[in-house]
Amino acid sequence: MHETVAIVGAGTMGAGIAQVAALAGHPVLLLDADPGAADRAAAGIRDRVKALVARGKIDADPGALDLTTAPSLESLAPARIVIEAIVEDLTAKRALFNDLERVVAPDCVLATNTSSLSPTAIAAGAAHPERILGLHFFNPVPRMRLVEVISGAGTAADVADRAADLVTGWGKTVVRAAPTPGFIVNRVARPFYAEAWRLLAERAAPPETIDAVLTGAAGFPMGPFALMDLIGHDVNEAVTRSVWTAFAQDPRFEPSRAQRDLVEAGRLGRKTGQGVYRYGGESGPSSAATAPPCSAPPKVIDHGAADLRALMARTGVPVLDGCRDTGVMELPGGALLVRGTGVTATELAARHGAPVIVVDRTLDDTTATAIAAAASDGCPGDALREATGLLQAAGLAVHVIDDAPGLIVTRTVAMLVNLAADALHQGVADAADIDTAMRLGAGHPLGPLAWGDRWGADTVHAIVTNLHQGYGDPRYRPSPLLRRRALSGGRLA
């Protein structure tokens, strides 16, 4: 016999949790403070289940769902676990749990679906804080596999285990997180959005280009601007602001003024028809402009640029061995091709005494379909065309952007790795759970710690350090653990 599950809050998240629990065979009680909301949610769940069955997506009997709308808080007394999905407000959640404690059995588990509030703070003042914990589901709940299980300071270990076993039985993948701001996903994911906003503020590239490079070169399923439009800028900005506030306004989590402007203007994304992009009819994100076709050079000279050789192998252009070990590829016209390390092309040109084109990094140089490049100030047009033609010969869509430190993928991924290393260092979760959370909860193609090992902790540390020195901004300060791994040659994951 499956234990009774109660859901308080029949909005998108609450209804999604109720659907998953009901399909797993649990009697489900659904309550909402808004009259009629629970009934509408229950009807919507049944309609969605019928549609899924009709399309052959699931094997279930919609009529057999044990889903009941609860008329009052007192009617939740039979529940063995209550999951709240109400407004993200600490006072409201505390009040709800205090009321629930007077209704449910002493061993009933009380779980909060908060995305950023601490279960420890929510349990403050509760008669039995040992039974209160966080169960952070991700939207849309029926499709998203991840659940973050967050134990508060007073949560009993057997309660956390019981909750984890429950949602595992619903087909979810569980990761364990400490009750710190943002937990795993909403903490570690911030640079994916923040670096996009910074590049836009610096006019390094338009939104379409940033999105195209992060999908085509780095393998993310959606670019940050398209994803924020989908999530809703009000939701995304609120999470960023909550984490930033909880970390005493740490610059690493600082919200974007431009995104705040969108929220204040009511341009929330797809749900309002306009965010960064316009929607409706044929509208949506337009295609990013790419460099026009250019001729590849007849040869290049390799002066110890090991990190460019996989790209060069795709071009079919002869690569000759050079006599210097300077980590560059030399083009016939004398310009130098350099892999991104968080230093601008202009600064590198001053060091080398020759024009420089910096090439962005990718998830996998053998499969990437797009890449960003930036030329040093004063770089001759012929040199940039040579470099563009060379990269196009590798089958890449080339996006020439302004000379921003770290270009697009290099800086974004390095900052994701840096924050993941910091979360690992501070005991937010273990390495496996951090990487699992970012893959399943944020849709990243590779966990950030595994990505850091792929590039090398020393490389990532150098990138972050160069960004920190170049900007003089503490948001780019390297994680102490990342520095240790860079010095020792140890792995992050």
Side-chain angles (χ1 to χ4, degrees), residues 195-236:
E195 294 310 310
W197 285 116
R198 184 148 204 170
L199 286 164
L200 187 63
E202 295 175 0
R203 297 184 296 174
E208 295 87 350
T209 295
I210 295 168
D211 280 356
V213 171
L214 282 165
T215 53
F220 290 96
M222 294 183 74
F225 293 112
L227 181 56
M228 287 184 282
D229 273 359
L230 179 64
I231 293 169
H233 289 280
D234 52 340
V235 174
N236 184 267

Side-chain angles (χ1 to χ4, degrees), residues 102-127:
R102 292 191 289 269
V103 171
V104 298
D107 60 347
C108 176
V109 174
L110 301 179
T112 172
N113 184 51
T114 180
S115 60
S116 58
L117 297 175
S118 169
T120 301
I122 292 171

